[in-house]
Amino acid sequence: MNRRTALGLGTVATAGTVLGATAPASAAEGTEAAPTTPAQAGRRVATSYTRHSTEAGGNWQAYVSVTDPAGPPVVAVTAEADRRIEAYSLNKIAVATTVLDKVDRGLLTLDQRVEVTAAIVVPGGDGIFSLDGAYPSSVTLGHVLATLLTVSDDTAVRLCGLVCPAAELNAILVAKGFPNTQVEPVANPNRFFLGTSTPRETHDLLRALVAGTLLSPTSTAFLLGLLRSPVAFTDGIRRTMSSEERARIATKAGWFADARHEAGVIFDRSGAAVLTYALFADRQADPDDFGATHPAVQARAAMGPRFLAAVDRLAGAGTAYRMAARRPSNGG
């Protein structure tokens, strides 16, 4: 049995980039009745993806599916889904997976501490470690993973490398069935560039995660909780949403040079996965704009509410991952 069979993935549509015939872009999105079947939802998702990715321009590679409790997922979008490209910070999900795999095997613990030295801090990198200004310090491995997947901390990547070197990390991913999702080793065995993946493999990794076949239930809930937290990425898919809606989406973005990627899972109201997306976009305009005004980020911000609306009346499948209520604090 291969990985795709184990994940229950159906045959991908090969005509164009989307499932079935889509409505023309001139038909206003949101004017139709809410979809009540996975196939209807897939067509709605495909229409939104086609419209907004085309408007943004550049190259897009994607794989998006809608859960069908009665059978294999409905593939809504497949665009160069097997192209192996630089994944950038999307591969932080894969890095976290390998660290948590070692936690599950008793080789690491989330409460063990790692030292943050001045030499390991990425100067000017994304995240918070480079803002501390006082080293050395020490943090728990749980704190490292939290910063890795929420504020996408670059120094956290190096801290993960201290406990899971590049060669071991890649071997774990291959053993789990992801040979194209690999970090790029460098001379220092504990450091690496974030490497490559494909839209299909990133999608399948997320599908395996929510299916409970990738990590233990405890590690799965921990990882998804980070990706669904209020402080996780909000400029793309989750931008124009309420707090409750954002909590239904586990997402991670990756950006560098002219690439702007995002991948994640939308959950139904009970907490079961109902839509999985991997959206890669490279050769994009405005490579120096890493904010919410970038065309590709704006495109994903437009897709997000439409993806959510497309599956809002559908039921997911598998384990329900319920989120504890998050409320702001006034200190004290």
Side-chain angles (χ1 to χ4, degrees):
M1 178 181 292
N2 64 25
R3 174 169 51 84
R4 286 183 49 75
T5 302
L7 289 170
L9 294 174
T11 303
V12 174
T14 57
T17 61
V18 298
L19 173 72
T22 63
S26 57
E29 295 177 67
T31 59
E32 304 172 30
T36 57
T37 71
Q40 291 173 346
R43 286 191 287 271
R44 187 75 62 87
V45 166
T47 297
S48 179
Y49 168 82
T50 300
R51 174 183 175 181
H52 297 295
S53 62
T54 300
E55 289 175 350
N59 286 349
W60 287 73
Q61 307 85 33
Y63 198 84
V64 184
S65 72
V66 177
T67 300
D68 185 350
V74 172
V75 179
V77 179
T78 174
E80 295 189 79
D82 296 309
R83 179 184 167 198
R84 185 170 178 172
I85 58 177
E86 295 289 337
Y88 300 120
S89 287
L90 282 193
N91 267 3
K92 289 176 181 175
I93 301 175
V95 171
T97 296
T98 63
V99 172
L100 288 168
D101 175 80
K102 294 186 68 174
V103 170
D104 289 343
R105 289 184 284 133
L107 302 176
L108 301 172
T109 62
L110 289 181
D111 62 357
Q112 76 180 66
R113 303 190 77 85
V114 294
E115 188 172 14
V116 184
T117 63
I120 207 168
V121 173
V122 178
D126 286 325
I128 60 174
F129 283 114
S130 63
L131 304 177
D132 289 355
Y135 315 100
S137 63
S138 70
V139 294
T140 65
L141 190 54
H143 183 81
V144 170
L145 294 178
T147 60
L148 179 76
L149 294 182
T150 58
V151 295
S152 199
D153 197 291
D154 292 333
T155 297
V157 175
R158 292 183 174 182
L159 295 174
C160 287
L162 294 178
V163 299
C164 190
E168 181 182 15
L169 194 160
N170 283 338
I172 291 171
L173 289 171
V174 169
K176 288 182 177 294
F178 304 101
N180 295 305
T181 305
Q182 300 279 282
V183 300
E184 180 184 344
V186 296
N188 184 333
N190 295 104
R191 293 192 183 179
F192 46 83
F193 294 112
L194 284 165
T196 61
S197 187
T198 70
R200 191 190 306 274
E201 276 203 3
T202 295
H203 167 279
D204 289 359
L205 188 150
L206 290 166
R207 285 273 307 166
L209 178 67
V210 296
T213 61
L214 202 61
L215 297 169
S216 71
T218 299
S219 291
T220 299
F222 174 73
L223 195 159
L224 289 174
L226 296 176
L227 296 176
R228 292 173 72 179
S229 67
V231 73
F233 187 68
T234 56
D235 272 350
I237 291 290
R238 304 203 304 175
R239 187 195 304 174
T240 313
M241 292 185 182
S242 68
S243 298
E244 181 182 359
E245 290 169 336
R246 287 178 173 180
R248 290 176 56 189
I249 300 175
T251 201
K252 181 74 187 74
W255 55 83
F256 192 77
D258 63 0
R260 303 291 184 273
H261 309 325
E262 187 170 358
V265 179
I266 296 178
F267 299 86
D268 68 14
R269 295 179 187 275
S270 75
V274 69
L275 185 147
T276 307
Y277 58 90
L279 306 172
F280 288 59
D282 63 358
R283 297 187 184 179
Q284 294 293 307
D286 302 327
D288 294 325
D289 180 5
F290 294 97
T293 58
H294 189 280
V297 179
Q298 289 183 319
R300 299 199 313 270
M303 293 178 201
R306 291 166 174 83
F307 285 10
L308 183 62
V311 298
D312 201 42
R313 295 180 62 184
L314 303 184
T319 302
Y321 298 95
R322 298 185 180 275
M323 284 286 289
R326 306 287 182 96
R327 308 209 184 286
S329 169
N330 194 33

